[in-house]
Amino acid sequence: MPWSRPEMAERLAREFQDGWIVNLGVGMPTLIADVDLGGKEIVFHAENGVIGFGPVAPEGQEDIHLVDASRRYITLPPGGAIVHHADSFALIRSGRIDVTVLGSYEAAANRDFANWKVKGAKGGVIGGAMDLAACAKNVFLMMEHRTRDGAPRLLAQCALPVTARGVVKLVITELGLFEPTGTAFRVRDLAPGVTMDELRAATAAPVTE
Amino acid sequence: MPWSRPEMAERLAREFQDGWIVNLGVGMPTLIADVDLGGKEIVFHAENGVIGFGPVAPEGQEDIHLVDASRRYITLPPGGAIVHHADSFALIRSGRIDVTVLGSYEAAANRDFANWKVKGAKGGVIGGAMDLAACAKNVFLMMEHRTRDGAPRLLAQCALPVTARGVVKLVITELGLFEPTGTAFRVRDLAPGVTMDELRAATAAPVTE
Amino acid sequence: MARRSKIVADFDAAVQGIEDGSTIAFGGFALPGSPFNLIAALLRQGAKRLVCVGNTTGGPRKPRNPDIGMLVENGQVAKVICSFTAGSRASDVLPFTPYYERGEVDAETVPQGTLAERLRAAGAGIPAFYTPAGVGTEIAEGRETRVINGREYLLEYALPCDVALLRAYQADEAGNLRFRRAQRNFGPIMAMAAKLVIVEVEEPILPVGAIDPDDVHTPGILVHRLVHIPPAPAAIWPTLKETR
Amino acid sequence: MARRSKIVADFDAAVQGIEDGSTIAFGGFALPGSPFNLIAALLRQGAKRLVCVGNTTGGPRKPRNPDIGMLVENGQVAKVICSFTAGSRASDVLPFTPYYERGEVDAETVPQGTLAERLRAAGAGIPAFYTPAGVGTEIAEGRETRVINGREYLLEYALPCDVALLRAYQADEAGNLRFRRAQRNFGPIMAMAAKLVIVEVEEPILPVGAIDPDDVHTPGILVHRLVHIPPAPAAIWPTLKETR
């Protein structure tokens, strides 16, 4: 049975090390802010300059001035700080972010990924992804294994325009947790009941154990 | 009779226009912060990030955290603001300073000036002068007309290493107020009793009326 | 220092004199910091051929608040410079998109950190700088790069603006600004980048001296016009629901 | 977020582990922001071949407070990078000067705005940038320049530091800092530029949450070690007279 999104968030968060500064991208990755991290001290950073944010605000207790990169109304526990956009990306580009978790359209065995431009589009949705991808110490992707039409999103090389080259360390999908090795996806973990055959059928790149 | 330093400060301040943002360099120029500016609204900026400062603090009322570029303990009237050093020089380089008044060793008729390195010295005292000189809308110099040995400091071209080229708009000394024209110093004002002959004898560049 | 008040009477007075062809920076990241009332006034004011700089052109959400997309629909925009020039979901169609696809409006899609840094550089007298963002991607194609200490960087130029339209939380009459929480975002750097800085302010404008000099986010010397936002319905005060 | 305290026991503990050959940024412009107690500890700690980055090497005034010049006299310094490498009056002889003239210590004299921007660039992941300061002067000789929009600029590189020694007014246990008045100067940008940021703090260290997130000058994620400065004579608290 494939992982649910909260299960994916929980599984990926186990890869965070104590003390890490973690940036969560738009969409699926923001679910990680709601994961119970046990004893680990994690500082969440949002590209819009919010440092040390907490879970989503309970209904009715939202602060209209306090959103994360996904426009969610978040909380800011004691110890948080606000910086402006240039200082926020200064933190990103100077390598202060231990890991950024980004959503993606495609992930490639050669560690490229593509998450900013869909086929045939004239515009793009770069946001902070190119800065984060180029500069975070680790880039993790949290994404669907296949498109709605069932086409694989894990490929030998990206078909869409890439966001950054050679940077992806880990990819989590509903089927498992994978490490791109340059030429293949190495399986780090599989969702319960998912077989290697199923995985290979769903993946357009070599898969190794 | 040559001008005293407070008279030089008072005379030069008359050249400021209403609403100007004024940066005062180390040494003599800081006397201008104590001049009565009449109805003019002037905002004083110090390179160490103090915006809107006022006169020197009265004895016994100094704030140990509040100094200007000359290490003087200054006051900060209502409406002032503090920025860090990179933001302070951002204001300077982006052309927000209407005039910087700098002390100088030499001023040249070709609008160069030299105020950072004395003859034979290995080190230099650049401070903020090169940024200010290159970027302020107007550069005024406030300086002695001659060295202690009586040698002229107003020259056709600088003998010392320059701080910036072609930027000086006005020069005030104890003898008068001058505008370098490219080839000469044009007299804008003379201290009481100073004659053109005296002035020419004290100046190593052409002087015009 | 400045004793003359920077307060103007209303939003229409605030945007007076903005010229055709201006480059305008629009503050805001999602709702916080977005100058909805000043944009509404700019729609009435009618300046044309604008170059609009902001994080997005505005989302597909309804009800809509004034955004760059509305200026596009109103025929006022020549070009946008944003980090989002398409909807974040492939299925989203932005109001801006058909104009872009028909070639009626030009667009430059810029990594968000590069956008922020280009604004900051303009406000810091730095004409150009190098950044690692975008290297090896489509946005770097045909552009100048340089290897420094063994790593490849892209040359980016400052992005100076004629006008910045911002929303702040507090201001004093000298123009010193404070933003609240994530409202700060592009505000301080757009104030640095622009020649004319116009701000709609949520709290009543404070007397000079009411903000401690250590607590100022944007110094008043960068700010030219202030308008206090009156209560709804006279002015736009988006609710949580409208902006989710 | 961070629940572990960043408070260390004393100044000697604060400078522990600073290695020979480190590049160290020293906060301060005149007295405000100068980390006198941490410098005193570094004199005891003895790290050698240091590259010292600061506005000045220290003045000729007496009584002296600990400064880069004392580290030079103590044989700990290979090079200084400062905007002042001589006395501001031609008659002033800095303690640093004879070492420089004899070639025992190297020096780089940098325009103050360029120094600030090189630190900020290091802390912003910008490896190099262009500036107008110094063009046409001796400091530009033999260096790379570029004409952009008709004006000549000098290429300058980021100045990353291993350590920053700073003095702040307030801090909370998470490392969030506030500076008071002109004490801010190089503090925030040196915290950005350095890998290890050590701060002596004037007020008793506050519990996490005591500083409003909008009022933080340097976010705690950039700060590693905090020491509260005990009252004199246990610690150095310069008086107005000593610093005029």
Side-chain angles (χ1 to χ4, degrees):
Chain A
M1 202 172 64
W3 282 324
S4 67
R5 288 183 176 191
E7 284 168 342
M8 287 163 65
E10 192 280 328
R11 178 63 193 83
L12 191 59
R14 272 195 264 154
E15 301 294 320
F16 297 168
Q17 289 175 27
D18 191 29
W20 270 13
I21 299 166
V22 174
N23 176 287
L24 301 177
V26 179
M28 230 192 283
T30 51
L31 290 173
I32 291 175
D34 300 326
V35 169
D36 178 0
L37 297 157
K40 277 189 285 193
E41 290 183 25
I42 297 292
V43 178
F44 289 109
H45 166 269
E47 65 191 19
N48 56 332
V50 186
I51 302 168
F53 70 84
V56 166
E59 180 104 31
Q61 292 173 49
E62 297 92 342
D63 178 341
I64 199 157
H65 293 114
L66 191 56
V67 297
D68 68 3
S70 295
R71 320 168 65 105
R72 304 180 319 151
Y73 287 96
I74 51 174
T75 49
L76 191 53
I82 301 291
V83 295
H84 63 52
H85 239 81
D87 280 350
S88 180
F89 280 85
L91 292 170
I92 292 170
R93 277 192 312 265
S94 64
R96 256 68 180 219
I97 307 299
D98 292 292
V99 67
T100 182
V101 184
L102 298 171
S104 194
Y105 303 139
E106 295 178 349
N110 68 359
R111 301 196 189 92
D112 295 353
F113 76 107
N115 78 347
W116 73 281
K117 201 171 192 178
V118 294
K119 209 168 175 176
K122 203 171 169 191
V125 287
I126 303 181
M130 283 190 186
D131 305 271
L132 284 159
C135 303
K137 287 181 192 153
N138 293 281
V139 177
F140 293 176
L141 302 180
M142 184 172 174
M143 59 188 287
E144 292 167 345
H145 207 97
R146 285 157 293 202
T147 67
R148 281 186 202 171
D149 303 335
R153 292 184 181 276
L154 274 62
L155 315 167
Q157 294 182 25
C158 289
L160 294 171
V162 301
T163 305
R165 296 196 180 279
V167 298
V168 179
K169 289 275 176 64
L170 285 177
V171 181
I172 196 160
T173 73
E174 69 278 13
L175 299 187
L177 177 66
F178 313 102
E179 196 181 313
T181 63
T183 53
F185 288 96
R186 193 170 72 78
V187 177
R188 283 274 308 274
D189 205 351
L190 278 183
V194 174
T195 66
M196 287 298 285
D197 282 348
E198 263 178 270
L199 180 63
R200 288 204 169 93
T203 305
V207 173
T208 63
E209 286 188 70
Chain B
M1 203 172 66
W3 283 323
S4 67
R5 289 185 174 190
E7 284 167 343
M8 288 163 65
E10 193 279 329
R11 178 63 192 82
L12 192 58
R14 272 195 263 152
E15 301 294 319
F16 296 168
Q17 290 174 26
D18 190 29
W20 270 14
I21 298 167
V22 173
N23 176 286
L24 302 176
V26 178
M28 231 192 280
T30 52
L31 291 173
I32 292 175
D34 300 325
V35 169
D36 178 359
L37 298 158
K40 277 188 286 195
E41 289 184 25
I42 297 291
V43 178
F44 289 109
H45 166 268
E47 66 191 18
N48 56 332
V50 186
I51 302 169
F53 69 86
V56 166
E59 180 103 33
Q61 291 174 47
E62 297 93 341
D63 178 340
I64 200 158
H65 292 113
L66 191 55
V67 297
D68 69 3
S70 294
R71 320 168 62 104
R72 304 179 320 150
Y73 287 95
I74 52 175
T75 49
L76 191 53
I82 301 290
V83 296
H84 63 52
H85 240 81
D87 281 349
S88 180
F89 280 85
L91 292 169
I92 292 170
R93 276 190 314 265
S94 64
R96 257 67 181 219
I97 307 300
D98 291 293
V99 66
T100 181
V101 183
L102 298 171
S104 194
Y105 304 138
E106 295 179 349
N110 66 0
R111 302 196 188 92
D112 295 353
F113 76 108
N115 79 347
W116 73 280
K117 200 171 192 179
V118 294
K119 209 169 175 176
K122 203 172 169 190
V125 286
I126 303 181
M130 284 190 185
D131 306 271
L132 284 159
C135 303
K137 287 182 193 154
N138 292 281
V139 177
F140 293 175
L141 302 180
M142 184 174 175
M143 58 187 289
E144 294 167 344
H145 207 97
R146 286 157 293 204
T147 67
R148 280 185 202 174
D149 304 333
R153 291 185 180 276
L154 275 61
L155 315 167
Q157 294 183 26
C158 289
L160 294 172
V162 302
T163 305
R165 296 195 181 278
V167 298
V168 179
K169 290 275 176 67
L170 284 177
V171 181
I172 196 160
T173 73
E174 68 280 13
L175 300 187
L177 178 66
F178 313 102
E179 196 181 312
T181 63
T183 54
F185 287 96
R186 191 170 73 79
V187 178
R188 283 274 308 272
D189 205 350
L190 278 182
V194 174
T195 66
M196 285 298 284
D197 282 349
E198 262 179 271
L199 180 62
R200 288 204 167 93
T203 306
V207 174
T208 63
E209 286 188 73
Chain C
M1 60 172 296
R3 286 153 303 207
R4 236 171 264 140
S5 172
K6 294 178 177 178
I7 301 174
V8 295
D10 55 35
F11 301 112
D12 292 306
V15 300
Q16 212 175 18
I18 294 178
E19 292 179 10
D20 291 354
S22 297
T23 296
I24 306 185
F26 296 81
F29 183 103
L31 180 152
S34 291
F36 298 121
N37 292 285
L38 293 170
I39 300 172
L42 187 58
L43 285 159
R44 294 189 291 272
Q45 194 259 15
K48 298 265 187 301
R49 302 191 311 279
L50 302 174
V51 177
C52 296
V53 180
N55 193 45
T56 76
T57 67
R61 289 166 190 77
K62 286 180 185 167
R64 284 173 76 188
N65 288 305
D67 58 22
I68 293 174
M70 281 195 191
L71 291 162
V72 170
E73 292 172 308
N74 205 31
Q76 295 182 252
V77 179
K79 181 179 179 179
V80 305
I81 303 177
C82 296
S83 81
F84 292 90
T85 56
S88 20
R89 277 168 296 199
S91 54
D92 290 347
V93 176
L94 303 178
F96 156 80
T97 303
Y99 294 85
Y100 184 32
E101 289 184 345
R102 289 196 301 265
E104 293 169 24
V105 175
D106 195 9
E108 195 179 328
T109 313
V110 180
Q112 198 171 131
T114 299
L115 182 65
E117 193 65 13
R118 288 178 63 194
L119 289 162
R120 193 261 169 198
I126 300 297
F129 59 90
Y130 294 92
T131 178
V135 169
T137 75
E138 187 181 296
I139 70 147
E141 279 171 19
R143 308 248 319 268
E144 182 175 339
T145 61
R146 183 179 183 121
V147 175
I148 298 172
N149 295 327
R151 187 168 180 192
E152 191 178 357
Y153 295 94
L154 195 55
L155 178 67
E156 294 281 359
Y157 291 93
L159 179 49
C161 300
D162 298 300
V163 181
L165 301 184
L166 307 177
R167 183 173 174 126
Y169 182 59
Q170 295 176 316
D172 70 15
E173 291 194 41
N176 291 305
L177 303 183
R178 275 176 65 77
F179 302 91
R180 200 173 161 274
R181 302 294 186 256
Q183 184 186 58
R184 199 177 317 179
N185 60 73
F186 287 95
I189 54 175
M190 287 180 170
M192 291 171 70
K195 288 198 283 268
L196 173 63
V197 176
I198 307 171
V199 190
E200 55 176 83
V201 184
E202 298 185 354
E203 296 267 302
I205 313 266
L206 299 163
V208 170
I211 302 178
D212 188 281
D214 289 336
D215 295 335
V216 171
H217 293 150
T218 289
I221 56 171
L222 295 176
V223 175
H224 304 90
R225 301 179 189 172
L226 302 168
V227 203
H228 174 232
I229 309 170
I236 302 162
W237 279 97
T239 65
L240 292 164
K241 265 215 183 93
E242 281 169 345
T243 59
R244 251 180 230 282
Chain D
M1 63 172 294
R3 286 153 301 206
R4 235 170 265 140
S5 171
K6 294 178 176 179
I7 301 173
V8 296
D10 55 34
F11 301 112
D12 292 306
V15 300
Q16 212 175 17
I18 293 178
E19 291 179 11
D20 292 355
S22 297
T23 297
I24 305 185
F26 295 81
F29 183 102
L31 179 153
S34 291
F36 298 121
N37 292 286
L38 292 170
I39 300 173
L42 187 58
L43 284 160
R44 295 189 291 271
Q45 193 258 16
K48 298 264 188 301
R49 301 191 313 279
L50 301 175
V51 176
C52 296
V53 180
N55 193 44
T56 76
T57 68
R61 290 164 190 75
K62 286 180 184 165
R64 284 173 77 189
N65 287 306
D67 58 22
I68 293 174
M70 280 196 193
L71 291 162
V72 169
E73 293 172 307
N74 205 32
Q76 294 181 253
V77 179
K79 181 179 180 179
V80 305
I81 303 177
C82 296
S83 83
F84 292 90
T85 56
S88 20
R89 278 167 297 199
S91 55
D92 290 346
V93 176
L94 303 178
F96 156 79
T97 303
Y99 294 85
Y100 184 33
E101 288 184 344
R102 288 196 302 264
E104 293 168 25
V105 175
D106 195 9
E108 195 179 328
T109 313
V110 180
Q112 199 173 128
T114 301
L115 183 65
E117 193 65 13
R118 288 177 63 193
L119 290 162
R120 192 262 171 197
I126 300 296
F129 59 90
Y130 294 92
T131 177
V135 169
T137 75
E138 187 181 297
I139 70 148
E141 279 171 20
R143 307 246 320 268
E144 181 176 339
T145 61
R146 181 179 184 121
V147 175
I148 299 172
N149 295 326
R151 186 167 181 192
E152 190 178 359
Y153 295 93
L154 195 55
L155 178 67
E156 294 282 358
Y157 291 92
L159 178 48
C161 300
D162 298 301
V163 181
L165 302 183
L166 307 177
R167 184 173 173 126
Y169 182 59
Q170 295 176 316
D172 70 15
E173 291 194 41
N176 291 304
L177 303 183
R178 275 175 64 79
F179 302 92
R180 201 174 161 275
R181 303 293 186 256
Q183 183 186 58
R184 200 177 316 180
N185 60 73
F186 287 95
I189 54 175
M190 286 179 169
M192 289 171 71
K195 288 198 283 266
L196 173 63
V197 176
I198 307 171
V199 189
E200 54 176 84
V201 185
E202 298 184 354
E203 297 267 302
I205 313 265
L206 299 163
V208 171
I211 303 178
D212 188 280
D214 289 337
D215 296 335
V216 170
H217 294 148
T218 290
I221 56 171
L222 295 176
V223 174
H224 304 91
R225 300 178 189 173
L226 302 168
V227 204
H228 174 231
I229 309 170
I236 302 163
W237 279 96
T239 65
L240 292 165
K241 264 213 182 95
E242 282 170 343
T243 59
R244 254 180 229 283

